[in-house]
Amino acid sequence: MSLIKLKDIGKIYVSEGNVSVGIRGVNLEFNIGEFVAITGESGSGKSTLLNVISGMDTYEEGEMFVENEPTSHYMQVDWEEYREKYISFIFQNYNIIDSFTVLQNVELSLMSIEDSKERRKKALELIERVGLKSHIHHRGSKLSGGQKQRTVIARALAKDSPIILADEPTGNLDSKSSKEIIELLHEVSKDKLVIVVTHNEEEVKDFATRHIRIFDGKVDFDKKLSEDYYVDSEKPLVLADNKKKSSLKSDIKNGIKLGRIIFTSKPKLSIYLCLLMIVGSIALFFSTVGRFTGLSVIDEGVFNHIDGRVVISKRDSSVITDNELETLSKDTNALGYMHYDYLLDESYILWVARMEGDWPMDLFYEFDYRYGKTYEGSILGRYPEKTNEVFLYLPISEVKAFGDKEIITKEIYINQCKFDVVGVKYYYDNRINPEILLTKEGYELCTALANLYFYNSITFEQVSGEENFYSMINELIVSFDIPKNMIYIDKKTHLNNNDLNETAKITYKKSYIINEGFNGSESKEYVEYFDYTYLTTDESLIKDEFIKDASKYSLVCSPNILLELSYNIFETTYRQASLFYENDTEAEKALSQLNEKGYTALLSNTENRIDGGAALLFMIGNAFSFIGWIITIIFIAVFINLCSKKSILAFKDDIAIMRSMGIQSKVIKIATYVRMIISSLFGIIAMIASAIFIYVNPVANMLFAYIPYSNYILMIVGLMLLTILVTRKQIKNLFTSSVRVTLKGGAN
């Protein structure tokens, strides 16, 4: 049984409407142990014959049998498996992979050996056998012609294929090198089929066992020169194990291995590719964190949600009393209640400032007020214990202002009232509001401060006589430096300029907004007078330079006075309160009881759905934002595609060489994907570095939106998919042409 049998084989080429015959009517048989020399004039078809035998080119007529099995039905994958198991090819123009070292070129044929040490050992033995031991780590581009051909022969021997095909292997070599190459081929032909296409019959006549001459696409003659190594056996000439298809696991493993080698073989191109992926990754990252991509049509909740909180008001809009709340709390098993609760739902303040040097600097944040709360994890400092102490829950951008090892900023101003900062905790999610944590007494004071400044509900006037009064001072400042029940007045500014004396009465005028709770509100004004005779002009009480300067335009009072004035208003106007339960589940159970008692009760997580028109506008706006983000992604994809095309096409010839060696397309494709994915890893590293920079750098943390880690996973997965899709598009056309067409120097 013949190893290779050609029966009436014909190859036709069609190019630009012209038809030419490569070979026609070829009938030949080849077997193990033969050293066959094929000669003929240039263009006679001898290289075409070799390409057909190797499976690198198709045939249109006849049938080729491999170990008595026909091949006319073979698809590309079948020819790849054929070349992988049967063929080693040696080219006139070497077709060495220039970017690989001698060792890497040889090891490329030993990929089937899983043990890396065994693979390396065999490669070194073969390199030494062809006399290139001193050039192991030289790249192919640095070798002479003879050295390149020796490397290719070592690569062919490493594959240990039963068939070695050599197309003009000495065409570019000097006579000495040519002789050495032919002797090497003759040496290995004892247990293989060696077919050499040559234009020089003389250099092979002492070694060839058979001479075939091709003329005008046909076999002119076929002459046996020797039968020393001829094998004629009915047994299979290639072991059955050699015909087994490689497993997916081994293909992936070899693809990863080859991908790493390809990545490191051309460092400049790989650096270019890495920079490309870094630019694309950073663009993807900043296009995501730099824009809002939410598409929810739910506005903020009616209230700030606190687990277990129920907000109530009377259906008749009358004022709720403390006694009523006490009774409701007991009847519904509430943990507690808060009567004047509107600060729980205010995510802003008129003015919060921190001290930098001798003067306060504004904090540009909307704060939520809290008390009786703790935070997970470690904190800087401690929680508040006194009325004038606060704990701040701040974005990481404020770490330089408040310190990370000790508290730098010792006090802040809330509506011009100074509080001591005793503790801080930072967070990275800049989508949420900062919080000011106080004691219960401090919280009540801040409620009074908010009432004073939000609604302008307190003014002061001088009374002259019983009916004649005129405006004197329209602002009140609270300071913990002022003793209880006392008001400080700046003598030089207020008393002298207005011709008053220290015993003059300051009268309080009450004007306010009636709060209807979540049922609405109504603006009304009432006038009521309170006399304060506890005035002082003692400047030594004012220790704060900022308050001292502000006192030229305002009155400064002790905290209890503001509380008395504010709660006097609340008692007759405030129509909302909060009850607190263990959790939202327990709170929901209490709703029916509260409604039965004549109250309107809502959970604090009640959503405030915006109306249809506003929802439509909201969705359209966010849709445009989302479309803009998608366009950015498409632009990044196009950018990566255009730039990566060059880097992938740079390996076009190398891929063709690998295919000619029988390395399957799927392995090469996996290697190409691996190379691109390795490059994208640098982009991912750049993305992570950008994220770390943004969320550690205070200024950057304010400029870019926080996104949760799950979104980073999505971006990384998206980048990988983008890389795979771009790579798939680029390599798609690399495997459509035959190996002969793709390879350099594919002559007939």
Side-chain angles (χ1 to χ4, degrees):
M1 182 178 67
S2 302
L3 177 58
I4 299 292
K5 181 179 179 180
L6 306 178
K7 184 178 180 181
D8 296 325
I9 289 293
K11 172 63 184 174
I12 300 172
Y13 293 104
V14 179
S15 178
E16 297 180 355
N18 297 319
V19 178
S20 62
V21 177
I23 53 175
R24 175 167 287 182
V26 174
N27 292 278
L28 293 168
E29 294 186 27
F30 301 98
N31 224 322
I32 291 291
E34 290 189 291
F35 188 112
V36 182
I38 298 178
T39 61
E41 296 178 358
S42 178
S44 62
K46 56 185 185 297
S47 291
T48 299
L49 176 62
L50 215 60
N51 287 330
V52 169
I53 293 173
S54 68
M56 288 193 291
D57 213 346
T58 59
Y59 58 90
E60 284 72 42
E61 298 175 345
E63 183 68 82
M64 184 174 85
F65 298 89
V66 178
E67 292 195 78
N68 215 33
E69 293 183 3
T71 62
S72 56
H73 64 282
Y74 274 17
M75 305 296 288
Q76 178 177 292
V77 64
D78 300 306
W79 286 118
E80 288 175 352
E81 291 177 0
Y82 164 70
R83 286 194 298 273
E84 180 184 13
K85 307 302 182 185
Y86 286 87
I87 305 296
S88 291
F89 210 116
I90 301 171
F91 299 87
Q92 176 182 357
N93 54 2
Y94 320 124
N95 279 339
I96 190 173
I97 299 180
D98 288 335
S99 59
F100 284 22
T101 64
V102 170
L103 181 60
Q104 288 172 336
N105 268 281
V106 176
E107 282 189 326
L108 196 58
S109 292
L110 299 170
M111 292 178 66
S112 59
I113 301 176
E114 293 188 6
D115 189 335
S116 59
K117 291 183 179 179
E118 183 183 348
R119 184 169 62 246
R120 179 62 53 88
K121 180 181 178 182
K122 186 170 182 180
L124 292 174
E125 289 175 355
L126 290 168
I127 291 170
E128 185 174 4
R129 184 178 177 183
V130 298
L132 290 177
K133 185 177 181 180
S134 60
H135 293 74
I136 290 174
H137 298 297
H138 288 207
R139 294 192 182 276
S141 58
K142 303 297 182 182
L143 301 176
S144 66
Q147 291 167 340
K148 288 181 178 181
Q149 201 65 288
R150 288 172 184 272
T151 301
V152 172
I153 290 175
R155 189 174 70 188
L157 296 178
K159 191 176 177 185
D160 199 24
S161 302
I163 303 172
I164 296 178
L165 305 177
D167 188 6
E168 302 280 6
T170 61
N172 295 325
L173 303 178
D174 56 52
S175 58
K176 181 182 177 182
S177 297
S178 297
K179 184 178 180 181
E180 292 174 346
I181 294 301
I182 295 299
E183 288 176 348
L184 273 172
L185 291 174
H186 176 255
E187 182 183 342
V188 301
S189 68
K190 295 176 183 179
D191 58 354
K192 299 181 186 299
L193 166 62
V194 177
I195 303 177
V196 179
V197 168
T198 180
H199 64 283
N200 187 352
E201 183 181 346
E202 290 297 318
E203 67 180 8
V204 298
K205 68 178 183 178
D206 295 332
F207 305 100
T209 63
R210 183 178 173 186
H211 180 200
I212 298 174
R213 178 178 174 81
I214 302 296
F215 179 77
D216 199 19
K218 297 182 179 181
V219 177
D220 188 27
F221 68 80
D222 179 2
K223 181 179 181 181
K224 291 182 181 179
L225 303 178
S226 171
E227 296 191 13
D228 290 347
Y229 305 113
Y230 187 77
V231 178
D232 188 5
S233 174
E234 294 301 318
K235 297 180 180 180
L237 298 176
V238 179
L239 294 176
D241 288 344
N242 200 37
K243 292 185 178 182
K244 290 182 179 178
K245 292 184 178 182
S246 58
S247 66
L248 178 62
K249 182 180 178 181
S250 64
D251 289 339
I252 293 174
K253 187 175 181 179
N254 288 334
I256 293 173
K257 185 195 316 177
L258 181 58
R260 292 200 308 264
I261 294 173
I262 291 175
F263 180 80
T264 57
S265 65
K266 293 186 177 182
K268 290 183 179 179
L269 197 59
S270 295
I271 291 172
Y272 161 78
L273 199 56
C274 289
L275 290 175
L276 169 66
M277 297 307 297
I278 287 172
V279 171
S281 299
I282 292 177
L284 174 62
F285 173 75
F286 281 104
S287 68
T288 301
V289 301
R291 72 172 69 242
F292 171 73
T293 56
L295 293 174
S296 173
V297 298
I298 305 300
D299 199 358
E300 294 183 359
V302 179
F303 314 104
N304 283 337
H305 177 239
I306 299 174
D307 192 33
R309 179 189 174 199
V310 173
V311 185
I312 64 171
S313 70
K314 286 186 174 182
R315 289 201 183 100
D316 62 5
S317 297
S318 61
V319 174
I320 301 175
T321 66
D322 284 337
N323 289 336
E324 287 176 302
L325 287 173
E326 188 72 35
T327 302
L328 283 175
S329 181
K330 290 179 181 179
D331 291 347
T332 59
N333 297 316
L335 300 177
Y337 66 87
M338 181 181 291
H339 194 170
Y340 309 122
D341 62 352
Y342 72 82
L343 267 191
L344 291 179
D345 302 316
E346 296 291 346
S347 295
Y348 60 90
I349 51 178
L350 179 66
W351 182 44
V352 171
R354 65 171 184 263
M355 287 300 296
E356 285 191 4
D358 297 328
W359 200 254
M361 300 295 290
D362 288 337
L363 284 179
F364 298 102
Y365 296 111
E366 294 180 345
F367 283 84
D368 290 335
Y369 290 88
R370 297 289 183 264
Y371 77 86
K373 181 178 180 178
T374 58
Y375 297 91
E376 293 182 1
S378 59
I379 63 173
L380 179 63
R382 60 176 175 83
Y383 290 108
E385 298 171 356
K386 300 178 181 179
T387 306
N388 66 327
E389 293 179 343
V390 297
F391 180 96
L392 300 177
Y393 185 54
L394 295 168
I396 192 64
S397 58
E398 287 296 322
V399 67
K400 289 187 177 180
F402 288 90
D404 57 350
K405 295 181 180 178
E406 63 175 351
I407 299 173
I408 299 173
T409 300
K410 302 294 184 180
E411 62 267 337
I412 65 167
Y413 287 80
I414 302 177
N415 293 337
Q416 303 188 65
C417 180
K418 184 175 74 173
F419 288 79
D420 295 331
V421 180
V422 297
V424 179
K425 182 174 179 59
Y426 301 104
Y427 60 86
Y428 285 92
D429 190 347
N430 55 18
R431 298 171 302 173
I432 63 177
N433 286 342
E435 293 180 355
I436 297 177
L437 184 66
L438 307 107
T439 62
K440 187 175 185 299
E441 295 77 14
Y443 183 89
E444 290 173 348
L445 177 60
C446 284
T447 302
L449 287 167
N451 173 62
L452 174 65
Y453 286 98
F454 290 163
Y455 303 114
N456 298 317
S457 58
I458 301 174
T459 60
F460 283 83
E461 297 179 350
Q462 174 203 354
V463 177
S464 177
E466 294 185 359
E467 298 180 358
N468 180 28
F469 46 96
Y470 60 92
S471 177
M472 184 187 78
I473 301 170
N474 292 316
E475 190 171 1
L476 185 67
I477 296 175
V478 177
S479 173
F480 288 96
D481 293 334
I482 305 300
K484 189 175 181 180
N485 295 323
M486 187 169 287
I487 294 176
Y488 169 78
I489 186 168
D490 184 87
K491 183 177 180 180
K492 295 179 180 178
T493 303
H494 299 304
L495 297 185
N496 293 348
N497 292 351
N498 293 284
D499 196 24
L500 298 176
N501 57 61
E502 295 182 20
T503 60
K505 293 181 179 180
I506 303 298
T507 302
Y508 162 69
K509 174 185 177 183
K510 181 169 65 173
S511 59
Y512 49 82
I513 295 175
I514 293 179
N515 188 336
E516 303 289 354
F518 43 77
N519 293 322
S521 61
E522 181 183 353
S523 298
K524 291 187 178 181
E525 183 175 289
Y526 297 85
V527 178
E528 192 169 334
Y529 297 99
F530 298 87
D531 294 338
Y532 286 90
T533 56
Y534 301 104
L535 299 178
T536 179
T537 58
D538 185 0
E539 291 188 23
S540 64
L541 292 174
I542 310 298
K543 301 173 184 177
D544 190 332
E545 290 297 324
F546 170 69
I547 295 295
K548 185 178 289 187
D549 186 77
S551 67
K552 296 175 181 178
Y553 312 97
S554 311
L555 294 177
V556 185
C557 72
S558 61
N560 74 292
I561 291 179
L562 178 63
L563 284 169
E564 181 182 345
L565 300 177
S566 295
Y567 282 96
N568 192 302
I569 296 173
F570 291 158
E571 287 172 0
T572 57
T573 62
Y574 203 80
R575 289 165 166 75
Q576 176 181 302
S578 291
L579 293 167
F580 299 95
Y581 299 85
E582 187 174 347
N583 51 52
D584 281 343
T585 302
E586 294 298 319
E588 192 168 5
K589 292 177 182 178
L591 291 181
S592 58
Q593 290 179 269
L594 293 167
N595 286 317
E596 287 174 3
K597 293 178 180 292
Y599 294 90
T600 300
L602 296 174
L603 289 175
S604 62
N605 63 357
T606 301
E607 294 174 341
N608 180 25
R609 294 184 178 272
I610 56 182
D611 62 76
L616 180 61
L617 291 174
F618 189 80
M619 289 187 66
I620 291 173
N622 281 296
F624 275 111
S625 178
F626 184 73
I627 291 170
W629 184 75
I630 293 296
I631 291 173
T632 303
I633 301 302
I634 294 173
F635 174 80
I636 294 170
V638 172
F639 172 74
I640 293 177
N641 179 57
L642 291 175
C643 295
S644 63
K645 184 177 182 180
K646 175 183 176 182
S647 69
I648 291 177
L649 291 178
F651 281 93
K652 182 178 181 180
D653 293 336
D654 294 348
I655 288 173
I657 293 170
M658 293 176 194
R659 291 176 67 192
S660 74
M661 293 171 59
I663 298 177
Q664 294 189 29
S665 295
K666 55 186 174 182
V667 174
I668 300 172
K669 288 177 181 179
I670 290 171
T672 307
Y673 284 124
V674 168
R675 171 175 172 262
M676 289 294 290
I677 288 172
I678 292 174
S679 302
S680 69
L681 290 178
F682 288 87
I684 292 171
I685 292 171
M687 183 187 297
I688 293 172
S690 299
I692 292 173
F693 171 77
I694 285 175
Y695 298 122
V696 171
N697 184 281
V699 176
N701 185 256
M702 287 191 296
L703 296 177
F704 296 96
Y706 174 88
I707 53 177
Y709 73 91
S710 58
N711 286 20
Y712 284 103
I713 294 175
L714 288 175
M715 279 196 290
I716 291 172
V717 171
L719 181 65
M720 287 297 186
L721 288 175
L722 190 64
T723 301
I724 290 171
L725 290 173
V726 167
T727 306
R728 181 174 178 270
K729 182 179 183 298
Q730 294 295 346
I731 66 176
K732 186 176 181 180
N733 296 326
L734 295 179
F735 296 89
T736 54
S737 303
S738 67
V739 179
R740 183 199 65 81
V741 173
T742 309
L743 279 173
K744 295 181 291 185
N748 290 342

